[in-house]
Structures are given as C-alpha cells and as structure tokens.
Amino acid sequence: MRLVLLSGGSGKRLWPLSNDARSKQFLRVLENHQERLSSMVQRVYGQLCEVGLAGSTVIATGRSQVEMLQNQLGRDVPLIVEPERRDTFPAIALAASYLYTRTGASLDDVVAVLPVDPYVDTAFFRRIQDLEKLLDRTNADLALMGVKPTYPSEKYGYIVPVKKENHDYIQVDHFTEKPEEEQARKLIAESALWNCGVFAFKLDYMISKLAALNLPVHYDELLKQFNRLPKISFDYAVVEKAKNIVALPYDGFWKDLGTWSTLTEEMATNQIGKGIISQDSENTHLINELDLPVTVLGISNAVVAVSPDGILVSDKEQSPRIKEVMKGFDQRPMYEERHWGSYRVLDYTSYEKDEEEVLTKKIKIKPGENISYHCHHMRQEVWTVVKGCGQYAANGVIRPIKPGDVVIVPAETMHAIKADDPMELIEVQIGSQLIEEDIKRKYMKWEEIVENCSFIRS
C-alpha cells in the first residue's frame, strides 16, 4: 500500500500561531513520547513509522510548506510539490502520477490518501491498511474509512450507508455535510459514520482519470501542464461521480484539532512559554512564543496565545469565531520555519517619505545547515552575529564568522552563511520593497558553494 498525506492550507483558526506560512499541522504544542513539544505532522509521521508505513509514504504539498516540512521531518521524506494551489483533485492526481512513474508502483497497487494532521491513536493507521483488502474483496471504485460517531456532531460530514446491510463494512449510499443535531441523531441511528477524509483506490483508477482528461500520466509532463488540471476538489471531481463506494468503520479515538478549544484539550500542559497563570484561573491555557512574560490572573476557561503575529485572549467556547473575526486582516507572516532553521520578525517600519522599508529579523540556523548562496535586487542587509560560529561566503570568498561580527551585504551581492554551532544573528533589511520573492539563488548546498569559492583564514 502507498500512502499520500495531503499537507496544505493556511488560515486563521489557530491565529496568532497559524498564519499564511505556518498551518496548524506545524504548531509545536503537543507532547511526544520523549515529553518534548512536537507538531501534528511530526506526531502522524512518527505513528506511520510505528506501523511500518513511513517508507511507502509521500507528502503532497505546496511550495510554501516545503521548507517547514523539511525542518520538522528532515529531507528524506518524499515531497510532491504542486506548482500552484489548485485544490485536492490536482494534488492527488499529481501524487498518483508520481507514484506511477517515479516509484515503479503497479497500476494494481492501492493508494490511500489522508490528511496530514489527524489526532488519533496508532491503531487508526493499522486500520487504514485494511482498506487494501476491502478494495480487493468488493472491487469498489473507492474505499473510505469512517469513524463511528460518539455524539451527534454538527461539525463533521457523515457517510450514510445503504439501508438493511449486515457487513463488516458499509456500502455508501450518499454523504451528508454538517447536519443539524437532530438530523445527526437520525444519521447515527442509520449507522452513518463521520467522514474523516481517508479514502483509497487502485492506482489505475486515478491514472485512467488523467487519461480521460487528455492529460499526461508521466509525472514530469504533468508537472509542466499542472495548470490544465481542473481546479476542483477530489470530492466533487471523483467521489460524487463514483458508482461503487464502500466504507470501513473505525471504532477508536479520532479528533479534529481545528480550534483552540479542541487543541488545548489535548495539550499535556496548560502553559507553554514564559508567564504565570494564577491558581484561580481554571481550565485556562497560555501559549507564549515571545521572550516577554505574560501573566493571567483570575481568568477561567480561556486561551491566551502570544506569537510574533499577535495576541489572542479568548473564551474557549468562543475561540472558533477567530476565523470570522480575522477576515480581512492581512499582514506578512512574522514567523517562519525553514529547512535550515527559523526566523522571527522583530520590527517592521515603512518610511513613505523616503520610499524605504526597514525590517529586522532574528534568524536561527541549525548546526551543519546553511542558507543558500543568493542575492537580492531591492535591498541591502546588515547581519550581526550574536551566537555561534560559522562560515560566511560573499562574492566568491569564504571566511570565518563569530559572535560580535557585523557584515554588510549590499544589493546584488551573492552571499550565504553556514553554522558550525547553533547560530543566531540579527538581520536588518533596508530597501524599497522587502518581499521574500526578491531573491536569486545560485547554489543550495554548502558543498557547491565551497567548490566555487575560495577561503580566507583569519
């Protein structure tokens, strides 16, 4: 069996920690077996390793999440990177072509697709493996996995079975999306399942869909013609048109951690980061990513979340409203993770009179990692090393760099830095337009930089 994890999305439901660059699956607020903070994607990948599925797993994602995935999972996990966002059908079609032409997968192989961030017991992933047998048994177009409901939820979609069936699986009649509570009760009485977004198909099923659309099935060619794929969800493009769908019940723990209320219920501690929660503040959580202390006095049933992007103070039951309240609020992400480390924006100022912007970042680089050899056209940078030693490359020359060193990087200067130790530096950008797209990369690997530069020992 091959697995495709769908890692997409951005949003405001877990603002201010989630933003356009950092989706909920990357928030390090859960605790792993070593009692260290980990993210949803790290938890899921660890569970896949436990059941022996990690080696056959690929992740379909967009360009904006590549470096964050590499930062949290390493560079060995295969990533299928969409050239642009075009919904779930194009993402799954591209993944299918990758499996078919890049991994040597057979057309008879079963492919299971699931979200990258389910909060479940490891048994959930063992149950996914049973979808392969179910497809062989029933010869269905699609095999879904549904969760046996524990209460009449209005937040989830339901998989509704054909009536009067007595199997260890269900034949799907139709789907109902987020019903009212009374209707949800009736659906549960009819043995309906929560739709958890997990489904499987034979690889031939998706490859034939591409052929029917007169699109190439070879991955490299489909990548070039990605914009020809219809911008539509997999549900609308495939599921609603499939004639034979079966579903496998999962009778175990499953939860969607999509709001601050549900997320804090699964946190091992009620406080992350610097601060104080008074004893009379019952069922209150504090998540603080800044170095400033935050004190919560006499406020119960609340979440206080503090990040470089902003501050949220909310009653837990009201916290799902954040997406609606933040609609129209737009600012650049103030924190991002990259494959080499992370950065946090400390200050941003725009001087309209001088048509100049100034942006100050704190950059952390992991030991042994490097920032690419690149240049900028619209800005100069000033780097001040505050921690760790490393090597700095500029215009063909490499020299050592240490705490206290200050480096001025004029516009159009090719430059890079490698950390020998855990390194921190303050970067001040000054220019007419400070955007992440203002970059021209030449070499990504430090070995390439060394081959094309000379050393100065000092």
PDB file of all heavy atoms in Angstrom, residues 6-40:
ATOM      1  N   LEU A   6      -1.903  14.628   2.559  1.00  0.00           N
ATOM      2  CA  LEU A   6      -2.207  15.944   1.994  1.00  0.00           C
ATOM      3  C   LEU A   6      -1.858  17.016   3.016  1.00  0.00           C
ATOM      4  O   LEU A   6      -2.471  17.107   4.087  1.00  0.00           O
ATOM      5  CB  LEU A   6      -3.683  16.043   1.623  1.00  0.00           C
ATOM      6  CG  LEU A   6      -4.182  15.090   0.525  1.00  0.00           C
ATOM      7  CD1 LEU A   6      -5.669  15.314   0.292  1.00  0.00           C
ATOM      8  CD2 LEU A   6      -3.414  15.286  -0.772  1.00  0.00           C
ATOM      9  N   SER A   7      -0.852  17.811   2.703  1.00  0.00           N
ATOM     10  CA  SER A   7      -0.442  18.899   3.585  1.00  0.00           C
ATOM     11  C   SER A   7      -0.644  20.220   2.858  1.00  0.00           C
ATOM     12  O   SER A   7       0.142  20.601   2.000  1.00  0.00           O
ATOM     13  CB  SER A   7       1.035  18.751   3.988  1.00  0.00           C
ATOM     14  OG  SER A   7       1.432  19.821   4.824  1.00  0.00           O
ATOM     15  N   GLY A   8      -1.700  20.877   3.191  1.00  0.00           N
ATOM     16  CA  GLY A   8      -1.987  22.158   2.542  1.00  0.00           C
ATOM     17  C   GLY A   8      -2.605  23.099   3.539  1.00  0.00           C
ATOM     18  O   GLY A   8      -2.550  22.893   4.740  1.00  0.00           O
ATOM     19  N   GLY A   9      -3.192  24.125   3.012  1.00  0.00           N
ATOM     20  CA  GLY A   9      -3.954  25.028   3.862  1.00  0.00           C
ATOM     21  C   GLY A   9      -3.094  26.043   4.583  1.00  0.00           C
ATOM     22  O   GLY A   9      -1.891  25.910   4.752  1.00  0.00           O
ATOM     23  N   SER A  10      -3.742  27.064   4.958  1.00  0.00           N
ATOM     24  CA  SER A  10      -3.199  28.111   5.810  1.00  0.00           C
ATOM     25  C   SER A  10      -4.427  28.673   6.493  1.00  0.00           C
ATOM     26  O   SER A  10      -5.531  28.229   6.231  1.00  0.00           O
ATOM     27  CB  SER A  10      -2.495  29.186   4.982  1.00  0.00           C
ATOM     28  OG  SER A  10      -3.400  29.754   4.056  1.00  0.00           O
ATOM     29  N   GLY A  11      -4.264  29.603   7.359  1.00  0.00           N
ATOM     30  CA  GLY A  11      -5.514  30.118   7.900  1.00  0.00           C
ATOM     31  C   GLY A  11      -5.394  30.776   9.234  1.00  0.00           C
ATOM     32  O   GLY A  11      -4.317  30.945   9.784  1.00  0.00           O
ATOM     33  N   LYS A  12      -6.574  31.095   9.760  1.00  0.00           N
ATOM     34  CA  LYS A  12      -6.658  31.914  10.959  1.00  0.00           C
ATOM     35  C   LYS A  12      -7.320  31.206  12.132  1.00  0.00           C
ATOM     36  O   LYS A  12      -7.499  31.794  13.184  1.00  0.00           O
ATOM     37  CB  LYS A  12      -7.467  33.182  10.638  1.00  0.00           C
ATOM     38  CG  LYS A  12      -6.908  34.038   9.497  1.00  0.00           C
ATOM     39  CD  LYS A  12      -5.621  34.723   9.876  1.00  0.00           C
ATOM     40  CE  LYS A  12      -5.234  35.837   8.922  1.00  0.00           C
ATOM     41  NZ  LYS A  12      -5.009  35.415   7.557  1.00  0.00           N
ATOM     42  N   ARG A  13      -7.726  29.933  11.965  1.00  0.00           N
ATOM     43  CA  ARG A  13      -8.480  29.284  13.049  1.00  0.00           C
ATOM     44  C   ARG A  13      -7.650  29.118  14.316  1.00  0.00           C
ATOM     45  O   ARG A  13      -8.205  29.029  15.406  1.00  0.00           O
ATOM     46  CB  ARG A  13      -9.012  27.922  12.586  1.00  0.00           C
ATOM     47  CG  ARG A  13     -10.179  28.040  11.615  1.00  0.00           C
ATOM     48  CD  ARG A  13     -10.974  26.756  11.560  1.00  0.00           C
ATOM     49  NE  ARG A  13     -10.199  25.632  11.045  1.00  0.00           N
ATOM     50  CZ  ARG A  13     -10.604  24.359  11.084  1.00  0.00           C
ATOM     51  NH1 ARG A  13     -11.764  24.060  11.623  1.00  0.00           N
ATOM     52  NH2 ARG A  13      -9.852  23.403  10.590  1.00  0.00           N
ATOM     53  N   LEU A  14      -6.323  29.035  14.162  1.00  0.00           N
ATOM     54  CA  LEU A  14      -5.449  28.959  15.334  1.00  0.00           C
ATOM     55  C   LEU A  14      -4.507  30.165  15.368  1.00  0.00           C
ATOM     56  O   LEU A  14      -3.368  30.074  15.814  1.00  0.00           O
ATOM     57  CB  LEU A  14      -4.659  27.644  15.311  1.00  0.00           C
ATOM     58  CG  LEU A  14      -5.505  26.387  15.534  1.00  0.00           C
ATOM     59  CD1 LEU A  14      -4.672  25.137  15.341  1.00  0.00           C
ATOM     60  CD2 LEU A  14      -6.148  26.382  16.912  1.00  0.00           C
ATOM     61  N   TRP A  15      -5.005  31.297  14.858  1.00  0.00           N
ATOM     62  CA  TRP A  15      -4.259  32.544  14.966  1.00  0.00           C
ATOM     63  C   TRP A  15      -4.106  32.893  16.451  1.00  0.00           C
ATOM     64  O   TRP A  15      -4.983  32.606  17.247  1.00  0.00           O
ATOM     65  CB  TRP A  15      -5.044  33.659  14.247  1.00  0.00           C
ATOM     66  CG  TRP A  15      -4.308  34.955  14.157  1.00  0.00           C
ATOM     67  CD1 TRP A  15      -3.473  35.361  13.179  1.00  0.00           C
ATOM     68  CD2 TRP A  15      -4.350  36.049  15.095  1.00  0.00           C
ATOM     69  NE1 TRP A  15      -2.990  36.613  13.431  1.00  0.00           N
ATOM     70  CE2 TRP A  15      -3.501  37.058  14.618  1.00  0.00           C
ATOM     71  CE3 TRP A  15      -5.003  36.253  16.315  1.00  0.00           C
ATOM     72  CZ2 TRP A  15      -3.297  38.246  15.298  1.00  0.00           C
ATOM     73  CZ3 TRP A  15      -4.801  37.433  17.002  1.00  0.00           C
ATOM     74  CH2 TRP A  15      -3.958  38.432  16.489  1.00  0.00           C
ATOM     75  N   PRO A  16      -2.980  33.463  16.859  1.00  0.00           N
ATOM     76  CA  PRO A  16      -1.890  34.030  16.061  1.00  0.00           C
ATOM     77  C   PRO A  16      -0.728  33.064  15.779  1.00  0.00           C
ATOM     78  O   PRO A  16       0.269  33.475  15.219  1.00  0.00           O
ATOM     79  CB  PRO A  16      -1.415  35.189  16.932  1.00  0.00           C
ATOM     80  CG  PRO A  16      -1.599  34.680  18.329  1.00  0.00           C
ATOM     81  CD  PRO A  16      -2.863  33.854  18.283  1.00  0.00           C
ATOM     82  N   LEU A  17      -0.857  31.777  16.189  1.00  0.00           N
ATOM     83  CA  LEU A  17       0.225  30.850  15.886  1.00  0.00           C
ATOM     84  C   LEU A  17       0.165  30.394  14.438  1.00  0.00           C
ATOM     85  O   LEU A  17       1.190  30.205  13.791  1.00  0.00           O
ATOM     86  CB  LEU A  17       0.186  29.641  16.827  1.00  0.00           C
ATOM     87  CG  LEU A  17       1.044  29.780  18.104  1.00  0.00           C
ATOM     88  CD1 LEU A  17       0.505  30.887  18.987  1.00  0.00           C
ATOM     89  CD2 LEU A  17       1.100  28.470  18.866  1.00  0.00           C
ATOM     90  N   SER A  18      -1.032  30.198  13.902  1.00  0.00           N
ATOM     91  CA  SER A  18      -1.142  29.814  12.492  1.00  0.00           C
ATOM     92  C   SER A  18      -1.275  31.063  11.637  1.00  0.00           C
ATOM     93  O   SER A  18      -1.896  32.048  12.045  1.00  0.00           O
ATOM     94  CB  SER A  18      -2.346  28.888  12.274  1.00  0.00           C
ATOM     95  OG  SER A  18      -3.557  29.571  12.515  1.00  0.00           O
ATOM     96  N   ASN A  19      -0.666  31.000  10.452  1.00  0.00           N
ATOM     97  CA  ASN A  19      -0.736  32.128   9.529  1.00  0.00           C
ATOM     98  C   ASN A  19      -0.598  31.598   8.105  1.00  0.00           C
ATOM     99  O   ASN A  19      -0.697  30.393   7.879  1.00  0.00           O
ATOM    100  CB  ASN A  19       0.346  33.178   9.845  1.00  0.00           C
ATOM    101  CG  ASN A  19       1.753  32.592   9.867  1.00  0.00           C
ATOM    102  OD1 ASN A  19       2.075  31.682   9.101  1.00  0.00           O
ATOM    103  ND2 ASN A  19       2.598  33.113  10.736  1.00  0.00           N
ATOM    104  N   ASP A  20      -0.378  32.465   7.141  1.00  0.00           N
ATOM    105  CA  ASP A  20      -0.293  32.033   5.747  1.00  0.00           C
ATOM    106  C   ASP A  20       0.918  31.150   5.471  1.00  0.00           C
ATOM    107  O   ASP A  20       0.966  30.443   4.467  1.00  0.00           O
ATOM    108  CB  ASP A  20      -0.259  33.251   4.815  1.00  0.00           C
ATOM    109  CG  ASP A  20      -1.616  33.939   4.735  1.00  0.00           C
ATOM    110  OD1 ASP A  20      -2.618  33.288   5.074  1.00  0.00           O
ATOM    111  OD2 ASP A  20      -1.654  35.117   4.341  1.00  0.00           O
ATOM    112  N   ALA A  21       1.909  31.185   6.367  1.00  0.00           N
ATOM    113  CA  ALA A  21       3.106  30.369   6.169  1.00  0.00           C
ATOM    114  C   ALA A  21       3.132  29.147   7.084  1.00  0.00           C
ATOM    115  O   ALA A  21       3.765  28.145   6.768  1.00  0.00           O
ATOM    116  CB  ALA A  21       4.364  31.205   6.415  1.00  0.00           C
ATOM    117  N   ARG A  22       2.455  29.218   8.218  1.00  0.00           N
ATOM    118  CA  ARG A  22       2.510  28.136   9.219  1.00  0.00           C
ATOM    119  C   ARG A  22       1.095  27.633   9.498  1.00  0.00           C
ATOM    120  O   ARG A  22       0.347  28.251  10.242  1.00  0.00           O
ATOM    121  CB  ARG A  22       3.189  28.644  10.491  1.00  0.00           C
ATOM    122  CG  ARG A  22       3.346  27.572  11.558  1.00  0.00           C
ATOM    123  CD  ARG A  22       4.239  27.969  12.705  1.00  0.00           C
ATOM    124  NE  ARG A  22       3.905  29.215  13.345  1.00  0.00           N
ATOM    125  CZ  ARG A  22       4.216  29.521  14.604  1.00  0.00           C
ATOM    126  NH1 ARG A  22       4.881  28.663  15.353  1.00  0.00           N
ATOM    127  NH2 ARG A  22       3.896  30.688  15.108  1.00  0.00           N
ATOM    128  N   SER A  23       0.732  26.510   8.912  1.00  0.00           N
ATOM    129  CA  SER A  23      -0.582  25.924   9.128  1.00  0.00           C
ATOM    130  C   SER A  23      -0.614  25.178  10.457  1.00  0.00           C
ATOM    131  O   SER A  23       0.418  24.934  11.080  1.00  0.00           O
ATOM    132  CB  SER A  23      -0.930  24.972   7.988  1.00  0.00           C
ATOM    133  OG  SER A  23      -0.865  25.638   6.744  1.00  0.00           O
ATOM    134  N   LYS A  24      -1.822  24.765  10.846  1.00  0.00           N
ATOM    135  CA  LYS A  24      -1.994  24.174  12.176  1.00  0.00           C
ATOM    136  C   LYS A  24      -1.155  22.917  12.379  1.00  0.00           C
ATOM    137  O   LYS A  24      -0.734  22.630  13.505  1.00  0.00           O
ATOM    138  CB  LYS A  24      -3.464  23.857  12.427  1.00  0.00           C
ATOM    139  CG  LYS A  24      -4.039  22.741  11.573  1.00  0.00           C
ATOM    140  CD  LYS A  24      -5.459  22.397  11.999  1.00  0.00           C
ATOM    141  CE  LYS A  24      -6.003  21.220  11.190  1.00  0.00           C
ATOM    142  NZ  LYS A  24      -7.340  20.806  11.631  1.00  0.00           N
ATOM    143  N   GLN A  25      -0.880  22.162  11.285  1.00  0.00           N
ATOM    144  CA  GLN A  25      -0.142  20.911  11.451  1.00  0.00           C
ATOM    145  C   GLN A  25       1.306  21.121  11.877  1.00  0.00           C
ATOM    146  O   GLN A  25       1.973  20.182  12.280  1.00  0.00           O
ATOM    147  CB  GLN A  25      -0.179  20.086  10.167  1.00  0.00           C
ATOM    148  CG  GLN A  25       0.465  20.726   8.949  1.00  0.00           C
ATOM    149  CD  GLN A  25      -0.551  21.386   8.043  1.00  0.00           C
ATOM    150  OE1 GLN A  25      -1.538  21.909   8.526  1.00  0.00           O
ATOM    151  NE2 GLN A  25      -0.318  21.343   6.750  1.00  0.00           N
ATOM    152  N   PHE A  26       1.796  22.359  11.810  1.00  0.00           N
ATOM    153  CA  PHE A  26       3.190  22.637  12.161  1.00  0.00           C
ATOM    154  C   PHE A  26       3.365  23.240  13.555  1.00  0.00           C
ATOM    155  O   PHE A  26       4.497  23.520  13.965  1.00  0.00           O
ATOM    156  CB  PHE A  26       3.807  23.574  11.120  1.00  0.00           C
ATOM    157  CG  PHE A  26       3.793  23.023   9.730  1.00  0.00           C
ATOM    158  CD1 PHE A  26       3.052  23.627   8.727  1.00  0.00           C
ATOM    159  CD2 PHE A  26       4.516  21.885   9.405  1.00  0.00           C
ATOM    160  CE1 PHE A  26       3.037  23.121   7.433  1.00  0.00           C
ATOM    161  CE2 PHE A  26       4.502  21.362   8.122  1.00  0.00           C
ATOM    162  CZ  PHE A  26       3.757  21.981   7.138  1.00  0.00           C
ATOM    163  N   LEU A  27       2.289  23.454  14.281  1.00  0.00           N
ATOM    164  CA  LEU A  27       2.387  24.085  15.598  1.00  0.00           C
ATOM    165  C   LEU A  27       2.918  23.083  16.618  1.00  0.00           C
ATOM    166  O   LEU A  27       2.324  22.030  16.845  1.00  0.00           O
ATOM    167  CB  LEU A  27       1.026  24.614  16.040  1.00  0.00           C
ATOM    168  CG  LEU A  27       0.321  25.571  15.073  1.00  0.00           C
ATOM    169  CD1 LEU A  27      -0.974  26.073  15.688  1.00  0.00           C
ATOM    170  CD2 LEU A  27       1.225  26.727  14.690  1.00  0.00           C
ATOM    171  N   ARG A  28       4.007  23.421  17.271  1.00  0.00           N
ATOM    172  CA  ARG A  28       4.629  22.507  18.248  1.00  0.00           C
ATOM    173  C   ARG A  28       4.007  22.737  19.627  1.00  0.00           C
ATOM    174  O   ARG A  28       4.591  23.404  20.493  1.00  0.00           O
ATOM    175  CB  ARG A  28       6.142  22.732  18.298  1.00  0.00           C
ATOM    176  CG  ARG A  28       6.854  22.490  16.968  1.00  0.00           C
ATOM    177  CD  ARG A  28       8.339  22.767  17.121  1.00  0.00           C
ATOM    178  NE  ARG A  28       9.024  22.938  15.870  1.00  0.00           N
ATOM    179  CZ  ARG A  28       9.812  22.024  15.299  1.00  0.00           C
ATOM    180  NH1 ARG A  28       9.977  20.858  15.878  1.00  0.00           N
ATOM    181  NH2 ARG A  28      10.424  22.285  14.158  1.00  0.00           N
ATOM    182  N   VAL A  29       2.844  22.151  19.819  1.00  0.00           N
ATOM    183  CA  VAL A  29       2.125  22.334  21.093  1.00  0.00           C
ATOM    184  C   VAL A  29       1.703  21.002  21.717  1.00  0.00           C
ATOM    185  O   VAL A  29       1.130  20.977  22.792  1.00  0.00           O
ATOM    186  CB  VAL A  29       0.878  23.231  20.902  1.00  0.00           C
ATOM    187  CG1 VAL A  29       1.287  24.644  20.534  1.00  0.00           C
ATOM    188  CG2 VAL A  29      -0.071  22.650  19.859  1.00  0.00           C
ATOM    189  N   LEU A  30       1.987  19.887  21.028  1.00  0.00           N
ATOM    190  CA  LEU A  30       1.669  18.569  21.565  1.00  0.00           C
ATOM    191  C   LEU A  30       2.930  17.951  22.162  1.00  0.00           C
ATOM    192  O   LEU A  30       4.037  18.375  21.856  1.00  0.00           O
ATOM    193  CB  LEU A  30       1.114  17.665  20.465  1.00  0.00           C
ATOM    194  CG  LEU A  30      -0.136  18.187  19.737  1.00  0.00           C
ATOM    195  CD1 LEU A  30      -0.493  17.274  18.574  1.00  0.00           C
ATOM    196  CD2 LEU A  30      -1.302  18.318  20.703  1.00  0.00           C
ATOM    197  N   GLU A  31       2.760  16.940  22.978  1.00  0.00           N
ATOM    198  CA  GLU A  31       3.901  16.318  23.636  1.00  0.00           C
ATOM    199  C   GLU A  31       4.114  14.924  23.069  1.00  0.00           C
ATOM    200  O   GLU A  31       3.160  14.147  22.943  1.00  0.00           O
ATOM    201  CB  GLU A  31       3.665  16.245  25.147  1.00  0.00           C
ATOM    202  CG  GLU A  31       4.933  16.096  25.952  1.00  0.00           C
ATOM    203  CD  GLU A  31       4.692  16.301  27.446  1.00  0.00           C
ATOM    204  OE1 GLU A  31       4.262  15.333  28.094  1.00  0.00           O
ATOM    205  OE2 GLU A  31       4.935  17.419  27.945  1.00  0.00           O
ATOM    206  N   ASN A  32       5.362  14.580  22.689  1.00  0.00           N
ATOM    207  CA  ASN A  32       5.638  13.247  22.156  1.00  0.00           C
ATOM    208  C   ASN A  32       6.064  12.298  23.269  1.00  0.00           C
ATOM    209  O   ASN A  32       6.018  12.643  24.454  1.00  0.00           O
ATOM    210  CB  ASN A  32       6.699  13.324  21.048  1.00  0.00           C
ATOM    211  CG  ASN A  32       8.043  13.861  21.548  1.00  0.00           C
ATOM    212  OD1 ASN A  32       8.324  13.873  22.750  1.00  0.00           O
ATOM    213  ND2 ASN A  32       8.882  14.296  20.627  1.00  0.00           N
ATOM    214  N   HIS A  33       6.499  11.088  22.888  1.00  0.00           N
ATOM    215  CA  HIS A  33       6.858  10.070  23.878  1.00  0.00           C
ATOM    216  C   HIS A  33       8.057  10.484  24.733  1.00  0.00           C
ATOM    217  O   HIS A  33       8.222  10.012  25.856  1.00  0.00           O
ATOM    218  CB  HIS A  33       7.157   8.739  23.179  1.00  0.00           C
ATOM    219  CG  HIS A  33       5.973   8.145  22.475  1.00  0.00           C
ATOM    220  ND1 HIS A  33       4.749   7.997  23.082  1.00  0.00           N
ATOM    221  CD2 HIS A  33       5.828   7.674  21.207  1.00  0.00           C
ATOM    222  CE1 HIS A  33       3.893   7.451  22.237  1.00  0.00           C
ATOM    223  NE2 HIS A  33       4.513   7.263  21.082  1.00  0.00           N
ATOM    224  N   GLN A  34       8.895  11.354  24.187  1.00  0.00           N
ATOM    225  CA  GLN A  34      10.065  11.828  24.940  1.00  0.00           C
ATOM    226  C   GLN A  34       9.735  13.078  25.773  1.00  0.00           C
ATOM    227  O   GLN A  34      10.632  13.727  26.307  1.00  0.00           O
ATOM    228  CB  GLN A  34      11.223  12.161  23.987  1.00  0.00           C
ATOM    229  CG  GLN A  34      11.872  10.943  23.342  1.00  0.00           C
ATOM    230  CD  GLN A  34      11.052  10.387  22.193  1.00  0.00           C
ATOM    231  OE1 GLN A  34      10.473  11.148  21.418  1.00  0.00           O
ATOM    232  NE2 GLN A  34      10.988   9.075  22.079  1.00  0.00           N
ATOM    233  N   GLU A  35       8.432  13.396  25.853  1.00  0.00           N
ATOM    234  CA  GLU A  35       7.940  14.569  26.593  1.00  0.00           C
ATOM    235  C   GLU A  35       8.516  15.865  26.039  1.00  0.00           C
ATOM    236  O   GLU A  35       8.759  16.823  26.774  1.00  0.00           O
ATOM    237  CB  GLU A  35       8.240  14.436  28.097  1.00  0.00           C
ATOM    238  CG  GLU A  35       7.542  13.246  28.743  1.00  0.00           C
ATOM    239  CD  GLU A  35       7.749  13.196  30.254  1.00  0.00           C
ATOM    240  OE1 GLU A  35       8.579  13.983  30.760  1.00  0.00           O
ATOM    241  OE2 GLU A  35       7.097  12.367  30.900  1.00  0.00           O
ATOM    242  N   ARG A  36       8.726  15.879  24.728  1.00  0.00           N
ATOM    243  CA  ARG A  36       9.161  17.097  24.041  1.00  0.00           C
ATOM    244  C   ARG A  36       8.010  17.620  23.191  1.00  0.00           C
ATOM    245  O   ARG A  36       7.160  16.849  22.734  1.00  0.00           O
ATOM    246  CB  ARG A  36      10.375  16.810  23.158  1.00  0.00           C
ATOM    247  CG  ARG A  36      11.627  16.394  23.922  1.00  0.00           C
ATOM    248  CD  ARG A  36      12.757  16.073  22.950  1.00  0.00           C
ATOM    249  NE  ARG A  36      13.966  15.649  23.647  1.00  0.00           N
ATOM    250  CZ  ARG A  36      15.051  15.187  23.039  1.00  0.00           C
ATOM    251  NH1 ARG A  36      15.070  15.090  21.713  1.00  0.00           N
ATOM    252  NH2 ARG A  36      16.109  14.828  23.733  1.00  0.00           N
ATOM    253  N   LEU A  37       8.007  18.931  22.978  1.00  0.00           N
ATOM    254  CA  LEU A  37       6.952  19.514  22.172  1.00  0.00           C
ATOM    255  C   LEU A  37       7.096  19.094  20.711  1.00  0.00           C
ATOM    256  O   LEU A  37       8.199  19.127  20.155  1.00  0.00           O
ATOM    257  CB  LEU A  37       6.987  21.044  22.281  1.00  0.00           C
ATOM    258  CG  LEU A  37       6.607  21.638  23.647  1.00  0.00           C
ATOM    259  CD1 LEU A  37       6.738  23.147  23.622  1.00  0.00           C
ATOM    260  CD2 LEU A  37       5.184  21.242  24.036  1.00  0.00           C
ATOM    261  N   SER A  38       6.000  18.686  20.125  1.00  0.00           N
ATOM    262  CA  SER A  38       6.023  18.271  18.726  1.00  0.00           C
ATOM    263  C   SER A  38       4.760  18.774  18.041  1.00  0.00           C
ATOM    264  O   SER A  38       3.798  19.184  18.694  1.00  0.00           O
ATOM    265  CB  SER A  38       6.122  16.749  18.605  1.00  0.00           C
ATOM    266  OG  SER A  38       4.952  16.131  19.097  1.00  0.00           O
ATOM    267  N   SER A  39       4.779  18.719  16.725  1.00  0.00           N
ATOM    268  CA  SER A  39       3.634  19.191  15.939  1.00  0.00           C
ATOM    269  C   SER A  39       2.754  18.018  15.530  1.00  0.00           C
ATOM    270  O   SER A  39       3.104  16.846  15.705  1.00  0.00           O
ATOM    271  CB  SER A  39       4.137  19.923  14.693  1.00  0.00           C
ATOM    272  OG  SER A  39       4.783  18.999  13.819  1.00  0.00           O
ATOM    273  N   MET A  40       1.603  18.327  14.936  1.00  0.00           N
ATOM    274  CA  MET A  40       0.702  17.286  14.450  1.00  0.00           C
ATOM    275  C   MET A  40       1.359  16.457  13.357  1.00  0.00           C
ATOM    276  O   MET A  40       1.223  15.230  13.327  1.00  0.00           O
ATOM    277  CB  MET A  40      -0.588  17.911  13.925  1.00  0.00           C
ATOM    278  CG  MET A  40      -1.375  18.685  14.965  1.00  0.00           C
ATOM    279  SD  MET A  40      -2.886  19.413  14.266  1.00  0.00           S
ATOM    280  CE  MET A  40      -3.179  20.750  15.434  1.00  0.00           C
TER     281      MET A  40
END
